[in-house]
Amino acid sequence: MLGCYLGTLAAFGFAVGVPTRAISQTFASSPVTLLGAALGITLLVAAWSGTIIRTHRNAGTQRTPSP
């Protein structure tokens, strides 16, 4: 799990750090668009995570019927 996390951080660093990449060009030309997209993605991840956590908590409290 730690390797996946570090790999994601490294990939993000390369995506942002290379000057010819779309992320850095978009940030230089239209930072509001990039920040809006980042906020939208953050809200989607938060909603998805909340759904998963709620489903997981409810699954532990429900009992399966006995045969």
Side-chain angles (χ1 to χ4, degrees):
M1 191 69 184
L2 181 61
C4 291
Y5 179 71
L6 293 176
T8 302
L9 285 178
F12 179 75
F14 283 117
V16 173
V18 178
T20 58
R21 299 293 298 200
I23 293 174
S24 57
Q25 289 179 352
T26 303
F27 188 69
S29 64
S30 180
V32 175
T33 302
L34 190 64
L35 293 175
L39 179 63
I41 291 169
T42 302
L43 291 174
L44 286 173
V45 168
W48 178 76
S49 298
T51 302
I52 296 297
I53 290 170
R54 190 173 337 120
T55 303
H56 180 67
R57 284 184 184 164
N58 289 340
T61 60
Q62 296 176 352
R63 294 184 183 185
T64 57
S66 298

